Amino acid sequence: MRPGRHEVPYGDVRHALADEAEGYLLAHAHRDQARREAEDLCARMPWLTTAQAEELIGHYVRRRLDVTRELLHSTVRRAEELRQEYESRYAALRHTLLRRHAACACAVLAGAGGVSALTVLLTR
């Protein structure tokens, strides 16, 4: 994965193509891993015929990819929920900070006005 993805503007074709290629390679690596695991499983069952072993391998790989797909979808959904929660919290914190700065600025201006008025009164 490339660091700094958040800095990439949406719609940049080069990065979209790189993301797609990365996803393709990860999917194939995961499928190959599932196939190796299924073949190891079948190797521990010497009584299976070749057709039965191939059927079991195919079923295992499909099921494993389905489970992985569901996990990835749930992870994406949760990431979106967290992003929305963090954005709303950030907006609330930013709003609170702005209010506090505005209150401080008003207090400083009022204090400066008071000091100025007192100075004018004392110099007369």
Side-chain angles (χ1 to χ4, degrees):
M1 291 185 165
R2 293 183 323 279
R5 275 192 188 184
H6 58 279
E7 299 172 3
V8 176
Y10 290 110
D12 189 348
V13 176
R14 292 174 298 165
H15 294 291
L17 183 60
D19 288 343
E20 189 172 332
E22 181 183 21
Y24 177 81
L25 292 173
L26 287 172
H28 275 278
H30 187 74
R31 184 183 53 82
D32 292 342
Q33 177 65 30
R35 183 160 185 83
R36 281 191 300 276
E37 289 174 8
E39 288 170 350
D40 289 344
L41 176 65
C42 288
R44 285 183 262 148
M45 294 187 238
W47 60 86
L48 292 176
T49 65
T50 304
Q52 290 172 330
E54 284 301 318
E55 184 178 343
L56 180 61
I57 289 171
H59 178 72
Y60 181 88
V61 169
R62 281 189 304 276
R63 184 66 187 132
R64 170 92 180 269
L65 292 178
D66 289 342
V67 168
T68 301
R69 190 175 297 112
E70 287 301 315
L71 287 172
L72 288 174
H73 284 301
S74 66
T75 302
V76 167
R77 280 191 301 271
R78 181 64 181 144
E80 180 62 26
E81 290 170 3
L82 287 174
R83 186 181 66 78
Q84 289 174 354
E85 288 176 23
Y86 289 146
E87 284 179 355
S88 65
R89 180 68 179 145
Y90 176 75
L93 290 173
R94 192 175 60 204
H95 182 71
T96 302
L97 185 64
L98 179 62
R99 271 196 340 246
R100 289 180 183 174
H101 277 84
C104 286
C106 288
V108 167
L109 287 175
V115 168
S116 176
L118 183 63
T119 304
V120 168
L121 288 175
L122 290 178
T123 56
R124 287 191 177 194

